[in-house]
Amino acid sequence: MNSVLSRANSLFAFSLSVMAALTLGCFITTAFKDRSAPVRLHVSRILLKNVEDFTGPRKKSDLGFITFHISADLEKTFDWNVKQLFLYLSAEYSTKNNAVNQVVLWDKIVLRGDNPKLLLKDMKTKYFFFDDGNGLKGNRNVTLTLSWNVVPNAGILPLVTGTGRVSVPFPDAYEITKSY
Amino acid sequence: MLSLDFLDDVRRMNKRQLYYQVLNFGMIVSSALMIWKGLMVITGSESPIVVVLSGSMEPAFHRGDLLFLTNRVEDPIRVGEIVVFRIEGREIPIVHRVLKIHEKQNGHIKFLTKGDNNAVDDRGLYKQGQHWLEKKDVVGRARGFYQENRSVENRNFLFLILEL
């Protein structure tokens, strides 16, 4: 330990070990935490059309339009090991063609430091709600849930679903006159 | 100067010690290989640890971050999951999020992905005429994450040493 270079070298090596221990501590202390939170969802308007799917395979498919409200308090999910929450509103339903369908309608990134209380009204979907076929027409049970992907500083990336889902029936007929 | 010291040590060893050193080295290499292959079996993924290569998932993942993957058959692919996949005919794996899934009764699933930082979904990245990804394209699902090169202290120490 008699030159600046060797001192700096061992200091550097020690700081690396300390960082590694801190990271492990960060991971272990938050690995088994429950990250769910209550969510209130409400759907105010549903419109159904049948058009050619311009986002992908060009065949006539059901296209749904939904206006919704979300209210959720995510304050408890943030802790020292959470960097951001990736929120997504997804619709899940079953059709004749496919047993399980899931479509993400809207998403949002909430960083640590942003306001964790969400109160969103009259939101329109961010992504087109196309079905793979014509399974939305007359579908009695389309369930909307708000879930989030917890992105930690280091550790597990869990997907958590908020408690509170809403199931809506889709109309039996296509809307040809009104536009969204 | 360092290499000459090493050669002196080698000359001082007799044949048996030399063989012992070589075997030691071989043991270390094969242990590392066993651990890696073991990880591949446990996680079910052909590449259990990947490095993020692009900025398409910012601000969650940046270039250089490590992702730990699993690809177990019992876990069905669901929306919101972060998947690492390869497009047919291309080598580079892509890390994006699942946007849409359609799964048939028999378990056959087709899905669409999108990067968090991208404005549009990945259909522009897929092969010509390909609209969906399937299970065979998936390398694994991201279950754990470790960020690299982001520690300010380590970077400052590095500058200190380089200046000396």
Side-chain angles (χ1 to χ4, degrees):
Chain A
M1 284 289 208
N2 45 17
S3 79
V4 185
L5 196 63
S6 67
R7 283 197 187 119
N9 187 32
S10 35
L11 203 58
F12 180 53
F14 184 60
S15 73
L16 274 182
S17 330
V18 167
M19 294 301 291
L22 272 178
T23 309
L24 195 68
C26 233
F27 162 49
I28 300 249
T29 50
T30 56
F32 305 107
K33 248 183 111 172
D34 176 26
R35 302 229 192 245
S36 66
V39 166
R40 281 216 337 265
L41 293 171
H42 178 68
V43 174
S44 60
R45 203 168 149 232
I46 305 179
L47 202 76
L48 182 62
K49 284 183 183 273
N50 185 267
V51 295
E52 217 182 70
D53 185 350
F54 46 82
T55 65
R58 290 192 166 269
K59 59 176 187 173
K60 275 210 140 207
S61 319
D62 281 354
L63 174 59
F65 295 93
I66 295 187
T67 313
F68 55 92
H69 310 311
I70 297 181
S71 103
D73 185 3
L74 300 166
E75 190 149 14
K76 293 214 184 57
T77 54
F78 278 98
D79 59 25
W80 60 90
N81 198 18
V82 174
K83 202 166 64 155
Q84 77 172 50
L85 292 181
F86 184 88
L87 298 166
Y88 54 100
L89 180 78
S90 58
E92 180 165 350
Y93 58 98
S94 182
T95 65
K96 208 159 43 85
N97 260 351
N98 296 299
V100 181
N101 299 279
Q102 285 184 331
V103 182
V104 172
L105 299 174
W106 172 89
D107 55 38
K108 180 175 167 59
I109 293 179
V110 179
L111 296 167
R112 180 162 53 187
D114 288 350
N115 185 8
K117 297 192 200 315
L118 286 179
L119 193 62
L120 304 162
K121 288 205 163 298
D122 288 327
M123 300 291 294
K124 292 210 163 71
T125 60
K126 221 187 203 187
Y127 305 110
F128 286 106
F129 190 176
F130 270 111
D131 181 37
D132 177 37
N134 302 319
L136 285 177
K137 178 173 167 198
N139 196 318
R140 288 271 146 257
N141 200 0
V142 176
T143 307
L144 290 168
T145 42
L146 184 70
S147 315
W148 46 91
N149 185 198
V150 181
V151 180
N153 280 321
I156 304 190
L157 289 160
L159 284 178
V160 186
T161 305
T163 55
R165 47 179 58 194
V166 65
S167 283
V168 290
F170 258 67
D172 287 323
Y174 296 129
E175 188 60 62
I176 14 183
T177 50
K178 274 191 277 189
S179 68
Y180 193 47
Chain B
M1 326 115 265
L2 289 164
S3 57
L4 283 176
D5 284 339
F6 166 65
L7 284 176
D8 277 340
D9 274 336
V10 171
R11 262 181 249 123
R12 261 183 256 121
M13 281 191 242
N14 62 22
K15 273 203 168 48
R16 180 183 281 176
Q17 282 175 319
L18 200 62
Y19 289 152
Y20 181 72
Q21 287 299 335
V22 170
L23 271 180
N24 229 6
F25 180 67
M27 284 280 281
I28 295 172
V29 169
S30 44
S31 309
L33 197 64
M34 279 196 298
I35 292 175
W36 182 249
K37 292 290 180 187
L39 260 183
M40 276 171 64
V41 169
I42 295 175
T43 61
S45 160
E46 59 180 69
S47 181
I49 304 179
V50 292
V51 180
V52 175
L53 296 171
S54 75
S56 56
M57 284 294 278
E58 286 181 14
F61 309 138
H62 297 254
R63 256 172 281 250
D65 290 343
L66 286 177
L67 289 176
F68 300 94
L69 312 180
T70 66
N71 197 19
R72 287 198 218 97
V73 191
E74 320 86 74
D75 285 334
I77 299 175
R78 292 289 174 252
V79 288
E81 289 188 343
I82 300 170
V83 291
V84 179
F85 59 92
R86 273 205 198 97
I87 298 173
E88 243 177 82
R90 305 220 197 119
E91 288 257 323
I92 304 174
I94 303 175
V95 183
H96 283 171
R97 202 181 288 272
V98 177
L99 194 71
K100 229 184 181 209
I101 66 159
H102 295 292
E103 182 176 329
K104 292 214 182 290
Q105 194 73 32
N106 60 13
H108 177 263
I109 190 167
K110 60 185 186 187
F111 60 97
L112 176 64
T113 56
K114 173 182 173 293
D116 290 349
N117 210 19
N118 293 346
V120 293
D121 61 38
D122 291 344
R123 285 209 166 108
L125 286 176
Y126 300 165
K127 230 169 50 163
Q128 185 71 266
Q130 181 185 11
H131 295 293
W132 306 97
L133 288 175
E134 291 172 13
K135 255 189 262 201
K136 62 176 175 58
D137 301 308
V138 174
V139 173
R141 258 74 66 68
R143 297 285 182 225
F145 156 72
Y146 176 72
Q147 58 187 38
E148 269 292 297
N149 300 334
R150 231 83 70 68
S151 156
V152 181
E153 290 99 321
N154 283 348
R155 197 179 50 187
N156 286 344
F157 271 122
L158 206 64
F159 287 162
L160 180 72
I161 290 171
L162 288 173
E163 268 166 57
L164 292 168

